[in-house]
Amino acid sequence: MITDQRALRILITGGRAPVALEWCRLLHAAGHELYVADSFPQPLCRYSNTVRRCYSVPAPRQQPGAFLSELERIVSQEQIDLLLPTCEEIFHIAGGLESLSKHVRVISPTLAQLHRLHHKGAFIERVRAAGLLVPDTILLEDEQQWRQMQLQAWQDARPIVLKPAYSRFASQVWLPPEAYTGGTGNAELTKDAQRECEMGSSSELELESEAQHRFGLKTEPGLETETETGTEVEVEVEVEAGRKSGTKREINPKINPEVKRIHTSSTASPSLNASNSGRWNSYHAPPPATLSRQQPWIAQQFIAGEQLCTYSIVHEGTVVAHATYRCRYRNSRAGASVHFEALERPDTLEWVQTLMSHWNELDNAQQEDEADMRSSDASRRLYRFSGQLSFDLIEQQHTGELYPLECNPRATSGVHLFRPEDGLKQALLYPAELVANGTIIQPQPGRRVMLTLPMLVSGLGRRWSRQQWRQWREALRGAEDAIYRHHDRMPAYGQLRLLWAAWRISRRERISIVEALTHDIEWNGIDAGSERS
């Protein structure tokens, strides 16, 4: 039996997040002393009685040097034993990993490893190199590539998804109309899309970090909308009714091929455009003003099927904790999941284990190619991935094959599915013992947890049938709240102040509330390629 050796002083960053609160509660229940650091004005964890002290630190995105210096000061002052990042600040912490590791044990991979996982194109290439199935994915770095990809996808009747290589909460994702209407080839309705079509709603049901549908008519790329003096003149080529039977599409000869393409300002949100107009989909989405080598996008094959999320803790390439869960209800604005159900899926565990096994081999091979690295056991251990790891997967309809969409190399909502008695803390604090015993910590299948406030909001504006409303109410009654605890009630009230602070930031920065929640910590890979492990 594994037992805790001693009470530890643990510093958790990203205290605004519900998963950070979950970690505070799990670790406090095990007898450890918790401290929290965050640059957000009203972090959720500051209201928890499991936290000894909550520190306000400089924003890592805007002041990375000051952020790392303050963390070092807190670590020294409070004699911290362990530093646990939970949100996207992990990238900034990994940038100072060498210095921080001299003072405290940090639960974080290297920045180079994080970058290979976070960049959606680089991640897919790594999965492909590991011998696993991947959706066709192409990197887009300029307008010419963007337009050529759209035209080719249209001509081949190949549904594609367009999304930034660096993004979060399904922001700025463009999807093909096949995501709702079925389309041709292997593009069929997802189960969530089928339910939405049945109820006649255009609301969005999305993965935790991946939208997989938008409403829209499919029109030929480049034949878009010209706006003059506030009046829109639509020029569209609609898909012929015979499209589904494979007949050749016909172009309306009355359309002027010289019509201008629409131009959007840099502040326009593609995701908002998509929800406001049926024309806006991946086949003729305008190229982003910021599209460049530094801020690339990807075009990815659209795959319909069951949407799954995983959360794992990995120690030197070995999975020591794992959860697979279904996100039944989601926030229609942000695409963030609000209802989580633990599943028993050995195949997803095997998928993660296979990827990690090959990932270690690829990283070790890269290490040996670098002249300034030694091939010692110590350096090899450095290259074996250790940390928290989450994937968004699609189980393709009919075949049951798993395809990866993207990776979040940090904590995600899967943490909520573990009870204190499940022993997740052991995977974090003493993973080597689990590896030696061949033990993998997993939550109880069927457990349901929700974020109650956004779960309530998720039902607003839905044109659901009586049966669907009944199912939603049953889901609401059948899940535990991730925030409220009878012995720790204040965070449930504190989340209202957190939302108020996010609203004020959104007004000041002219961004959405969801974007405001990560505005000071997000990492978009600028100059990431020059960083070394």
Side-chain angles (χ1 to χ4, degrees), residues 189-209:
L189 287 174
T190 63
K191 292 182 179 180
D192 282 342
Q194 287 173 341
R195 288 195 293 266
E196 285 290 272
C197 288
E198 289 170 2
M199 65 178 131
S201 172
S202 62
S203 59
E204 303 157 11
L205 294 174
E206 302 172 341
L207 273 174
E208 184 169 340
S209 60

Side-chain angles (χ1 to χ4, degrees), residues 139-368:
L139 192 67
L140 305 176
E141 297 181 339
D142 58 49
E143 181 176 348
Q144 182 179 2
Q145 291 177 335
W146 181 283
R147 293 296 186 187
Q148 287 176 345
M149 171 51 61
Q150 287 177 316
L151 182 59
Q152 190 65 50
W154 165 263
Q155 292 174 344
D156 296 343
R158 176 166 46 89
I160 57 170
V161 178
L162 296 170
K163 53 189 174 181
Y166 307 102
S167 63
R168 54 207 56 81
F169 300 123
S171 61
Q172 297 183 313
V173 174
W174 296 85
L175 295 119
E178 283 85 352
Y180 258 117
T181 60
T184 61
N186 65 353
E188 302 179 23
L189 287 174
T190 63
K191 292 182 179 180
D192 282 342
Q194 287 173 341
R195 288 195 293 266
E196 285 290 272
C197 288
E198 289 170 2
M199 65 178 131
S201 172
S202 62
S203 59
E204 303 157 11
L205 294 174
E206 302 172 341
L207 273 174
E208 184 169 340
S209 60
E210 179 68 30
Q212 274 291 336
H213 61 272
R214 297 278 188 203
F215 230 164
L217 288 175
K218 184 172 178 179
T219 62
E220 185 175 7
L223 300 178
E224 299 168 358
T225 303
E226 182 178 7
T227 303
E228 297 183 26
T229 62
T231 302
E232 291 189 343
V233 181
E234 292 185 12
V235 184
E236 296 183 345
V237 182
E238 298 187 6
V239 180
E240 296 295 331
R243 167 102 190 295
K244 294 182 180 179
S245 62
T247 58
K248 184 177 180 181
R249 69 174 63 82
E250 299 178 3
I251 305 301
N252 188 336
K254 296 181 180 180
I255 292 178
N256 178 6
E258 301 299 325
V259 67
K260 297 179 183 178
R261 295 188 176 98
I262 189 170
H263 296 279
T264 59
S265 68
S266 59
T267 59
S269 170
S271 59
L272 293 179
N273 286 339
S275 63
N276 289 337
S277 171
R279 295 183 309 280
W280 298 112
N281 56 60
S282 58
Y283 290 101
H284 60 94
T290 57
L291 181 64
S292 64
R293 186 175 183 179
Q294 289 72 33
Q295 299 185 53
W297 282 54
I298 64 168
Q300 191 170 77
Q301 173 190 1
F302 171 78
I303 298 175
E306 181 74 12
Q307 304 172 340
L308 303 171
C309 296
T310 72
Y311 166 78
S312 304
I313 297 179
V314 180
H315 177 66
E316 294 183 0
T318 300
V319 177
V320 292
H322 178 81
T324 301
Y325 56 103
R326 177 186 297 117
C327 304
R328 188 175 178 186
Y329 294 95
R330 300 170 181 87
N331 185 312
S332 61
R333 288 182 178 233
S337 303
V338 298
H339 187 281
F340 322 102
E341 179 182 359
L343 304 175
E344 187 172 6
R345 293 294 301 259
D347 56 338
T348 62
L349 172 58
E350 182 181 357
W351 189 93
V352 176
Q353 290 174 321
T354 301
L355 177 60
M356 285 294 97
S357 175
H358 289 281
W359 195 281
N360 296 335
E361 296 173 4
L362 293 168
D363 273 348
N364 283 334
Q366 178 178 346
Q367 170 208 4
E368 292 173 356

Side-chain angles (χ1 to χ4, degrees), residues 12-15 17 19-20 23 84-90 388 410-412:
I12 294 179
T13 59
V19 293
W23 267 122
L84 175 62
T86 58
C87 300
E88 214 158 303
E89 80 284 347
I90 190 173
Q388 301 180 90
R410 53 176 174 79
T412 55

